[in-house]
Amino acid sequence: MAIMILAVVLVPIGDALSKSMTAVLGPFEIAFWRFALQMLILGLVLLVLRQRLERGSPLLLLLGGLTSASVLVALIGAFAVMPIATAIAIFSWSR
């Protein structure tokens, strides 16, 4: 429950920061830095939970990472040309 509350608070902040950065950086650069920060946080979580996690298929993990990256770049590109609420509504509806 605490992780969900944290996500509900942090995700909109990340989206707002991404939109504000589209004035000076491209969508690929913003997505890169978001993923770098997420990788750092996930790395810390993996260190703590490494005994409890099972290994997944490397091919499926790669495919999941690539699709996640492409969706994030498209979403940040949408932030550059439309309001955040509209972009998030389209993104949420298309899932």
Side-chain angles (χ1 to χ4, degrees):
M1 181 86 99
I3 293 172
M4 184 63 185
I5 292 170
L6 185 65
V8 168
V9 170
L10 292 179
V11 168
I13 292 170
D15 290 343
L17 288 173
S18 293
K19 179 163 179 69
S20 67
M21 289 190 295
T22 58
V24 292
L25 297 173
F28 287 102
E29 293 172 288
I30 297 168
F32 170 81
W33 289 112
R34 279 186 71 162
F35 271 118
L37 179 62
Q38 291 171 1
M39 186 175 62
L40 177 67
I41 293 168
L42 183 59
L44 295 173
V45 170
L46 287 174
L47 284 175
V48 173
L49 300 176
R50 68 178 168 244
Q51 297 296 328
R52 294 173 44 187
L53 297 174
E54 295 181 50
R55 291 185 173 234
S57 166
L59 185 60
L60 288 177
L61 291 173
L62 180 63
L63 181 63
L66 289 174
T67 56
S68 179
S70 63
V71 167
L72 183 61
V73 169
L75 183 62
I76 293 170
F79 289 161
V81 295
M82 64 178 60
I84 276 185
T86 305
I88 294 294
I90 293 169
F91 173 74
S92 297
W93 180 79
S94 65
R95 283 207 234 165

